[in-house]
Amino acid sequence: MVASRAIGCLRRFANASRTLHHCSGYICRNFSRSSALLARSHINYGIKDDVAVIRINSPNSKVNTLNQELQSEFMEVMNEIWASDQVKSAVLISSKPGCFIAGADINMIAACKTPQEVTRLSQEGQKMFEKLENSPKPIVAAISGSCLGGGLEVGVPAAFDMMLTGRNIRADRAKKMGLVDQLVEPLGPGVKPPEERTIEYLEEIAVTFAKGLADKKISLKRSKGLMDTSYLTELTSYAMGIPFVRQQVYKKVEEQVRKQTKGLYPAPLKIIDVVKTGLEEGKDAGYLSESQKFGELAMTKESKALIGLYHGQVLCKKNKFGTPQREVKNIAVLGAGLMGAGIAQVSVDKGLKTILKDATLTGLSRGQQQVFKGLNDKVKKKTLTSFERDFIFNNLTGQLDYQSFEKADMVIEAVFEDINLKHKVLKEVEEVIPAHCVFASNTSALPINEIASVSKRPEKVIGMHYFSPVDKMQLLEIITTPKTSKDTTASAVAVGLKQGKVIIVVKDGPGFYTTRCLAPMMSEVIRILQEGIGPKKLDSLTTGFGFPVGAATLVDEVGVDVAKHVAEDLGKAFGERFAGGSLELLKQMVSKGFLGRKSGKGFYVYKEGVKSKDLNSDMDSVLAGLQVSPKPEVSSDEDIQYRLVSRFVNEAALCLQEEILATPAEGDIGAVFGLGFPPCLGGPFRFVDLYGAQKIVDRLRRYEAAYGKQFTPCQLLIDQASAGKKFYQ
Amino acid sequence: MTWVTGRLLCGWAPVQTSTKKTLAKPNVRNIVVVEGVRIPFLLSGTSYKDLMPHDLARAALSSLLIKTNVPKEVVDYIIFGTVIQEVKTSNVAREAALGAGFSDKTPAHTVTMACISANQAMTTGVGLIASGQSDVIVAGGVELMSDVPIRHSRKMRKMMLDLNKAKTLGQRLSLISKFRLNFLTPELPAVAEFSTSETMGHSADRLAASFAVSRLEQDEYALRSHRLAKKAQDEGLLSDVVPFKVPGKETVTKDNGIRPSSLEQMAKLKPAFVKPYGTVTAANSSFLTDGASAMLIMAEDKALAMGYKPKAYLRDFVYVSQDPKDQLLLGPTYATPKVLEKAGLTLKDIDAFEFHEAFSGQILANFKAMDSDWFAQNYMGRKAKVGSPPLEKFNNWGGSLSLGHPFGATGCRLVMAAANRLRKEGGQFGLVAACAAGGQGHAMIVETYPK
């Protein structure tokens, strides 16, 4: 207490220095030294005429986050401003180009031990926002770049806000929604760097507006929003005044949310609760309820899981292998199929000169069209202009031969999954590429060392396993062999990061990490289908557990032939641990041409332009022919869900045990971003931590008793359980 | 180089001294401007509004014929610049030349390069003469903003074209059944940069902001332009203007966009593009203009042989281009040091500057860019700034802001203004520079012809 009072007292001197600034250089210097000592670390402010310009600049960070320090400094500054006669209005601006406030500090919330702590934090925040909302002096928030969560709250209640981002469309939309009042376009170069001048300009404009508001020369009109045609708002507020209507609205919204989240994500429902409390019992009750519910939410498993994923993702967005010796500027993609064209698409729009090579003109044209369509869809959504599309598309060269491969810095092959074909292209390519060129193989299951076995330069061979559709799936699994050089890995990670991917780097082995985890679960899927659970029921059980895509649908999406291929290969490699379902099911499906979505039929029937899917009735006889009797003791809905998930988790743990995986974090990111492992569970390792290793082992033992070795828990899990250890400390 | 340093020591007084060397190069033909004319530049929608572009171009061409008395069969080639094309006369140079009484044996073509189209017409001619292909060239430019091609929408056009091809009534009916009311929405000629979808005024406003050019500075500069133009007009200095008897209307004798106002009046205007806080207004921008210009360019030996007294030499020229988004209108900044270097001159050697004034903010931003070492080093890959032109030598007879700016015709006006100023004010070198849509620019050295 004493210390804080002393600081408060000294700060008054610091203030004096500001007012003295114009009078005497000498005194000023004296005082300003003391003010430098006491300078706030996140916020400083100066006064231009009668406008206080508050600059937010969190030290040693690329972004400003709403942490406790920043909040308290901000409140101090605001109190000074409200108390000052000199100041008539204020401008709030960030000194960081491209970031206003990126939201609440996730670490601050993660550090809390009890719901009460979080509630208190939240209340402090609320108080701040309320004070801002009721500010007697106009406040203009000059926002440049990302402004999320709490950042938006700081901006929005402020009297007159503006926003600016590099992406005009988004700022445009914010204006249409009525979130912001004015837009400032980014500036080009002047006599100083564009970013610097743009912030300066934003500040100048904001100061003008602040003055205008204080002098009542500019009035606040917030009726520009799209939804906001006045009669509509009036009508809405009238209707919402009737309790019965309100109840109906709550019910409807709740239904919607339940349907979308399947009750797995608690936050949206609590938000509805809070809004309800606010409307029914008044603002204060609403605020109280908001902070309490926020406190409760922060302590949930889901919150911990999601925060964990956030940290994992941050980790997987870094290149821990360092800067590659040579920057990759030109890449070549072999094979213009779905994957190859997808890889080309995420490369060209990052400015990589890309050759797309295929064996046939038809295949090549299809691939080029896929890239064009991907870009053109962005034009339709107005995130790209047609000119930008054409400019980007120009980075793509389609060809049938190896012309210009001597300029390639990296070749990514995405030809058919056949080891002989892969060998053939590797040998062909090595004849034409320069010495420094990396050869990356996009394969989901073929071991990289086997592919590299015919290479003259195995240190330059690496696996880059993309996920389909490449432009939507964030994960990239990079596979290194013992011979792969560190620089090659650094190059591959650098390219992946440029392509916007979240990257895990794993060791070589059958199925690497992702495919290997998925395979035993798929084997169990087949077993469950054989036991007479229909695809629809199976899908609802898996999505009910949090998987974004149902298990049967997933097989259709991946492709039944691919699944069969993988199951055969990995079955050979891992033997009985991958047993369970009968491969015969997939074989019969392939022979009947039921390859999943791509052939129009799999477990379901797919028609162009039709969203709802019907079961493929031709599958009935196939399934009937392979039926086995279920084991009632492990066939409850919950058991079925856990049979699937526990095999997945067990295999993931084994990958860590065998050091295929370097860290549990990468395992979690790979499972969630690549395979759709339920995000609310945070990934297999986080799931073990939160659910309890012992409980998982117990379940596995129970299923082992019923089915056999495919459920035998791996040593690592057993050790974790017996030692009571966690993957994440 | 020695003579340059020698002249530097003499200081930079704009007095022509006989010791100055000309820019003639060995083994390169000297090319001269014999004469140049323009019909008065008018605010669009005024006296020229019922005419077509080739009418204006024809008026400029026939005035040139009369003023120079050049025998029509001597003219080897005619080149005109234009920007917004009238689709009926897409090669407006040919249509105008035929009507103006030039020989139908003289080929003519039309060039387009936004606001430097007439410059491109002139330099194309210079190229033809320098390479020995031609001796006598007529170059010019025309723009008629009173009428622009407004088209049917693409959907409507497609339907109309398909209807043309439809063979049976059934086909026609099925096509017509696809008609929707929104097909009738007309398509206006693009006012925005195609690559960025940004209008030029908007870009100019951002440019002014980038260089921190204030509204007041812009208004002051615009006022200067109008005052100087008015003075030049009153004193009869705009000798390239020729009267034009508009069919069915009065004879137009002078530019009608010159309107010196007051700073107070100008301050009242609201921003035209970046609302509500921008700085570019109608008063500090060039206005939509109708007009045409034409010029007789010859090889020096040919002109002398024919007994002409040329007005000026056309010397080194450059075209530049840069980022069309953030540096759309910085052409002069890029072009000036380049052309000076090429000619072996420095900014101090220039006696008359004639820059195209698209916007006050654009001119002032260019001044600041030319005066910035930081900009020169970081964006132009140069060691140092070229320097900002001294205002007392700059656009002394008004500029595009006040005289008007018929896109395709301005280039010839700039060159004639430089040539006439040098003769009147007694300087040797003039520098013409202009920016253009697409992020392009141009500069040329004009050397006065010894008296």
Side-chain angles (χ1 to χ4, degrees):
Chain A
M1 278 307 283
V2 178
S4 79
R5 211 179 310 145
I7 288 171
C9 160
L10 279 173
R11 183 161 298 121
R12 240 159 271 142
F13 280 99
N15 291 342
S17 87
R18 203 178 48 245
T19 45
L20 280 170
H21 201 274
H22 309 284
C23 312
S24 155
Y26 181 67
I27 299 175
C28 170
R29 208 182 309 147
N30 242 345
F31 277 101
S32 64
R33 194 181 302 151
S34 69
S35 103
L37 267 176
L38 289 167
R40 298 180 181 93
S41 55
H42 295 267
I43 289 177
N44 63 69
Y45 80 106
I47 296 176
K48 278 189 180 173
D49 298 330
D50 54 8
V51 184
V53 179
I54 307 164
R55 298 189 183 85
I56 311 171
N57 194 2
S58 291
N60 311 322
S61 166
K62 270 191 216 159
V63 296
N64 298 317
T65 44
L66 274 182
N67 56 24
Q68 266 174 308
E69 248 177 284
L70 189 146
Q71 275 183 30
S72 65
E73 283 185 15
F74 181 62
M75 279 325 289
E76 271 169 28
V77 167
M78 283 317 296
N79 286 332
E80 280 176 32
I81 286 169
W82 282 319
S84 161
D85 296 333
Q86 231 190 317
V87 178
K88 293 214 178 75
S89 58
V91 165
L92 199 55
I93 192 166
S94 161
S95 303
K96 294 192 197 297
C99 174
F100 183 64
I101 296 177
D105 185 349
I106 210 163
N107 292 322
M108 168 173 85
I109 295 167
C112 291
K113 298 255 167 359
T114 63
Q116 287 73 25
E117 267 180 80
V118 183
T119 302
R120 198 175 43 76
L121 277 179
S122 161
Q123 277 168 337
E124 275 169 26
Q126 284 175 346
K127 254 185 252 159
M128 175 170 92
F129 293 136
E130 201 183 354
K131 272 192 137 175
L132 279 181
E133 224 176 304
N134 299 327
S135 169
K137 294 175 182 177
I139 305 168
V140 175
I143 302 164
S144 166
S146 49
C147 169
L148 305 162
L152 198 61
E153 288 196 55
V154 174
V156 168
F160 204 120
D161 333 300
M162 45 190 78
M163 179 178 228
L164 163 146
T165 78
R167 284 192 185 163
N168 307 331
I169 316 288
R170 294 214 181 157
D172 251 23
R173 230 173 255 165
K175 176 138 193 264
K176 273 192 182 160
M177 285 161 70
L179 283 177
V180 295
D181 298 289
Q182 284 303 330
L183 300 182
V184 173
E185 300 255 344
L187 298 180
V191 293
K192 51 175 87 166
E195 304 77 32
E196 218 176 285
R197 174 63 194 145
T198 300
I199 288 200
E200 222 176 75
Y201 178 56
L202 180 66
E203 186 180 310
E204 287 166 18
I205 303 294
V207 166
T208 316
F209 272 113
K211 272 190 204 160
L213 283 171
D215 303 343
K216 307 248 179 319
K217 277 185 191 148
I218 300 173
S219 64
L220 255 182
K221 277 192 218 123
R222 273 272 174 81
S223 58
K224 293 167 210 148
L226 267 189
M227 315 280 291
D228 236 22
T229 42
S230 58
Y231 70 92
L232 202 69
T233 13
E234 266 172 48
L235 196 68
T236 317
S237 61
Y238 169 74
M240 285 299 279
I242 308 167
F244 168 73
V245 175
R246 276 208 307 269
Q247 295 309 328
Q248 283 302 313
V249 171
Y250 298 146
K251 219 175 110 189
K252 190 81 203 151
V253 173
E254 257 181 51
E255 264 171 36
Q256 276 285 328
V257 169
R258 267 187 212 286
K259 207 171 148 195
Q260 279 187 11
T261 62
K262 301 188 193 305
L264 293 167
Y265 295 85
L269 286 173
K270 298 231 169 168
I271 292 171
I272 299 172
D273 267 2
V274 169
V275 174
K276 215 171 15 181
T277 314
L279 284 175
E280 300 295 328
E281 295 163 40
K283 215 162 91 177
D284 291 336
Y287 278 143
L288 183 67
S289 155
E290 183 189 43
S291 59
Q292 285 168 348
K293 292 268 159 48
F294 187 58
E296 289 166 25
L297 278 175
M299 290 299 119
T300 55
K301 280 183 185 170
E302 290 82 359
S303 161
K304 295 223 154 69
L306 292 171
I307 290 177
L309 274 182
Y310 168 78
H311 285 303
Q313 198 186 350
V314 171
L315 205 74
C316 293
K317 281 270 182 193
K318 287 185 183 142
N319 192 345
K320 55 184 172 187
F321 298 88
T323 314
Q325 283 165 16
R326 265 181 101 126
E327 191 194 349
V328 172
K329 288 177 182 159
N330 300 304
I331 69 169
V333 180
L334 303 178
L338 218 57
M339 295 303 288
I343 296 166
Q345 190 193 328
V346 298
S347 305
V348 288
D349 65 355
K350 312 303 182 313
L352 288 167
K353 289 272 175 201
T354 307
I355 293 173
L356 185 61
K357 182 200 174 301
D358 201 273
T360 68
L361 191 60
T362 337
L364 180 62
S365 306
R366 196 218 62 83
Q368 285 172 306
Q369 182 55 34
Q370 184 188 329
V371 177
F372 183 83
K373 186 178 176 293
L375 295 171
N376 201 40
D377 286 348
K378 289 189 182 168
V379 173
K380 284 184 190 155
K381 283 189 210 141
K382 299 197 171 166
T383 53
L384 275 188
T385 66
S386 57
F387 177 81
E388 286 165 332
R389 173 200 63 203
D390 300 343
F391 189 79
I392 291 168
F393 192 62
N394 211 34
N395 285 331
L396 186 75
T397 316
Q399 58 191 53
L400 300 172
D401 54 19
Y402 286 110
Q403 196 195 324
S404 299
F405 270 56
E406 71 278 2
K407 288 192 205 115
D409 301 308
M410 178 178 286
V411 173
I412 303 173
E413 69 79 14
V415 300
F416 192 69
E417 294 270 55
D418 170 29
I419 189 75
N420 295 323
L421 184 61
K422 302 244 180 207
H423 280 164
K424 180 172 164 269
V425 299
L426 187 141
K427 282 192 245 172
E428 276 176 18
V429 165
E430 283 192 346
E431 292 302 312
V432 289
I433 54 177
H436 72 274
C437 181
V438 171
F439 183 91
S441 181
N442 173 58
T443 170
S444 54
L446 293 174
I448 303 302
N449 63 54
E450 230 172 88
I451 294 174
S453 65
V454 298
S455 170
K456 287 188 276 188
R457 39 213 269 301
E459 72 282 0
K460 292 281 181 196
V461 180
I462 197 166
M464 287 173 90
H465 178 198
Y466 290 86
F467 292 75
S468 185
V470 182
D471 60 324
K472 303 261 159 42
M473 296 292 283
Q474 282 192 64
L475 189 71
L476 169 63
E477 183 180 31
I478 289 180
I479 305 105
T480 60
T481 72
K483 287 182 183 161
T484 307
S485 76
K486 193 179 156 217
D487 189 56
T488 300
T489 314
S491 256
V493 174
V495 167
L497 288 177
K498 200 172 219 179
Q499 290 167 333
K501 297 295 169 197
V502 174
I503 296 168
I504 62 170
V505 180
V506 305
K507 286 207 181 120
D508 194 20
F512 324 127
Y513 166 64
T514 51
T515 310
R516 180 169 160 186
C517 288
L518 194 60
M521 186 171 111
M522 282 301 147
S523 170
E524 200 58 25
V525 165
I526 295 170
R527 174 78 194 194
I528 291 165
L529 288 166
Q530 283 178 285
E531 288 180 5
I533 305 284
K536 278 210 165 155
K537 165 90 178 170
L538 178 61
D539 273 356
S540 87
L541 283 175
T542 32
T543 54
F545 199 76
F547 283 92
V549 178
T553 308
L554 186 64
V555 178
D556 275 3
E557 294 288 339
V558 169
V560 179
D561 51 339
V562 176
K564 175 190 148 251
H565 220 83
V566 169
E568 278 173 347
D569 283 357
L570 296 190
K572 269 182 225 152
F574 293 106
E576 55 192 356
R577 215 174 57 255
F578 280 39
S582 164
L583 243 175
E584 200 47 39
L585 176 67
L586 296 177
K587 280 186 184 160
Q588 287 189 19
M589 285 177 81
V590 171
S591 70
K592 285 186 187 294
F594 301 153
L595 303 184
R597 180 183 283 279
K598 59 184 163 190
S599 71
K601 272 184 183 176
F603 290 109
Y604 296 95
V605 180
Y606 300 89
K607 285 192 198 115
E608 193 79 41
V610 181
K611 273 218 161 158
S612 67
K613 6 171 230 196
D614 294 318
L615 280 174
N616 177 6
S617 52
D618 297 338
M619 279 302 293
D620 295 350
S621 60
V622 179
L623 285 170
L626 294 166
Q627 191 148 16
V628 292
S629 52
K631 300 189 187 281
E633 71 275 22
V634 287
S635 294
S636 72
D637 282 0
E638 197 195 66
D639 274 325
I640 287 174
Q641 289 175 327
Y642 274 95
R643 272 161 59 192
L644 292 167
V645 174
S646 62
R647 284 192 74 174
F648 189 117
V649 169
N650 193 28
E651 200 60 35
L654 197 57
C655 286
L656 186 63
Q657 182 184 316
E658 292 176 2
E659 291 177 350
I660 294 281
L661 276 176
T663 60
E666 283 175 292
D668 281 346
I669 292 296
V672 172
F673 286 89
L675 305 173
F677 192 89
C680 56
L681 304 180
F685 296 98
R686 180 75 59 181
F687 172 66
V688 172
D689 278 3
L690 293 173
Y691 184 78
Q694 189 59 54
K695 274 168 136 181
I696 301 268
V697 171
D698 292 346
R699 276 198 184 265
L700 281 165
R701 291 281 186 221
R702 196 151 68 80
Y703 302 143
E704 184 187 19
Y707 287 105
K709 285 201 172 165
Q710 65 262 40
F711 281 103
T712 309
C714 72
Q715 194 54 46
L716 183 63
L717 273 184
I718 295 171
D719 292 348
Q720 293 281 112
S722 59
K725 276 206 310 200
K726 291 197 166 186
F727 290 110
Y728 293 95
Q729 292 315 316
Chain B
M1 278 312 284
T2 47
W3 63 270
V4 176
T5 25
R7 287 186 54 246
L8 278 179
L9 292 173
C10 302
W12 53 278
V15 186
Q16 190 181 355
T17 58
S18 53
T19 55
K20 279 188 182 176
K21 201 174 168 180
T22 92
L23 293 178
K25 290 176 188 164
N27 306 322
V28 176
R29 293 179 97 183
N30 279 328
I31 296 159
V32 296
V33 177
V34 172
E35 187 57 271
V37 299
R38 64 181 177 94
I39 58 169
F41 287 178
L42 301 189
L43 296 158
S44 62
T46 59
S47 296
Y48 300 155
K49 69 175 179 186
D50 297 326
L51 301 179
M52 285 179 67
H54 73 284
D55 293 327
L56 306 191
R58 194 179 62 233
L61 280 172
S62 54
S63 298
L64 186 71
L65 268 184
I66 294 163
K67 200 164 181 181
T68 58
N69 245 328
V70 65
K72 58 181 185 180
E73 58 281 356
V74 181
V75 179
D76 296 314
Y77 209 98
I78 298 168
I79 311 158
F80 253 64
T82 197
V83 178
I84 308 282
Q85 283 191 338
E86 162 61 50
V87 286
K88 283 185 193 161
T89 57
S90 57
N91 187 2
V92 68
R94 177 66 172 163
E95 311 309 335
L98 282 174
F102 281 86
S103 163
D104 61 4
K105 303 285 188 300
T106 304
H109 82 264
T110 303
V111 294
T112 190
M113 200 174 180
C115 306
I116 48 178
S117 296
N119 307 76
Q120 187 53 259
M122 288 184 285
T123 56
T124 303
V126 167
L128 286 173
I129 298 173
S131 64
Q133 309 306 311
S134 308
D135 292 323
V136 181
I137 294 284
V138 170
V142 61
E143 205 68 45
L144 182 78
M145 292 304 290
S146 293
D147 182 31
V148 291
I150 297 170
R151 299 197 292 179
H152 269 301
S153 69
R154 183 85 190 241
K155 286 175 188 157
M156 188 68 192
R157 273 154 34 214
K158 187 168 182 294
M159 173 177 245
M160 288 157 87
L161 290 169
D162 287 349
L163 268 175
N164 247 349
K165 287 184 206 141
K167 292 203 175 74
T168 65
L169 185 65
Q171 282 175 347
R172 280 191 202 115
L173 285 176
S174 93
L175 271 170
I176 289 170
S177 73
K178 286 183 195 136
F179 175 81
R180 299 286 173 277
L181 216 54
N182 68 7
F183 284 21
L184 292 177
T185 318
E187 225 172 64
L188 296 167
V191 286
E193 196 69 13
F194 183 75
S195 61
T196 63
S197 311
E198 186 182 23
T199 60
M200 191 179 275
H202 197 280
S203 188
D205 204 312
R206 284 196 308 116
L207 183 72
S210 297
F211 284 92
V213 178
S214 72
R215 166 79 181 265
L216 182 64
E217 284 175 278
Q218 293 179 47
D219 285 353
E220 279 171 351
Y221 181 83
L223 188 58
R224 171 188 188 270
S225 179
H226 280 276
R227 284 189 177 148
L228 291 176
K230 180 83 172 90
K231 186 159 173 284
Q233 192 178 56
D234 290 348
E235 291 174 5
L237 299 173
L238 305 175
S239 57
D240 55 336
V241 178
V242 290
F244 175 25
K245 167 69 183 77
V246 180
K249 287 198 177 127
E250 77 288 12
T251 300
V252 180
T253 57
K254 52 184 186 177
D255 306 323
N256 73 355
I258 306 171
R259 298 173 182 180
S261 163
S262 67
L263 285 176
E264 296 70 41
Q265 284 295 323
M266 292 168 91
K268 283 183 190 161
L269 284 181
K270 289 202 167 125
F273 302 99
V274 177
K275 294 165 187 172
Y277 52 82
T279 51
V280 173
T281 68
N284 59 37
S285 314
S286 56
F287 48 87
L288 293 180
T289 313
D290 302 336
S293 54
M295 201 185 239
L296 183 60
I297 302 172
M298 288 191 189
E300 184 185 25
D301 48 355
K302 179 79 176 181
L304 295 177
M306 291 180 72
Y308 284 113
K309 181 81 185 140
K311 291 202 151 176
Y313 291 108
L314 297 182
R315 297 301 194 190
D316 294 285
F317 62 85
V318 294
Y319 288 92
V320 294
S321 56
Q322 63 283 336
D323 169 23
K325 170 93 184 146
D326 291 331
Q327 303 183 29
L328 182 68
L329 305 172
L330 285 182
T333 299
Y334 282 84
T336 300
K338 238 176 144 176
V339 79
L340 286 172
E341 216 163 67
K342 213 169 172 195
L345 299 176
T346 69
L347 206 66
K348 291 175 182 172
D349 298 318
I350 303 299
D351 305 304
F353 292 89
E354 279 296 328
F355 278 36
H356 162 50
E357 300 166 342
F359 302 88
S360 280
Q362 164 258 332
I363 286 288
L364 296 171
N366 271 287
F367 284 178
K368 294 198 182 194
M370 290 163 84
D371 206 27
S372 161
D373 281 326
W374 186 87
F375 189 84
Q377 286 154 5
N378 289 284
Y379 283 88
M380 296 166 63
R382 303 186 68 87
K383 285 202 186 80
K385 64 186 183 184
V386 63
S388 166
L391 211 53
E392 64 274 14
K393 297 181 187 174
F394 191 86
N395 291 9
N396 288 2
W397 294 356
S400 298
L401 287 170
S402 44
L403 300 169
H405 172 40
F407 306 142
T410 291
C412 291
R413 177 189 68 72
L414 292 172
V415 169
M416 287 319 294
N420 288 335
R421 272 181 59 198
L422 289 171
R423 292 170 74 78
K424 182 82 186 171
E425 295 167 354
Q428 187 181 4
F429 296 115
L431 172 62
V432 168
C435 57
Q440 311 210 77
H442 165 78
M444 183 193 253
I445 302 287
V446 177
E447 183 182 345
T448 197
Y449 200 83
K451 282 181 183 162

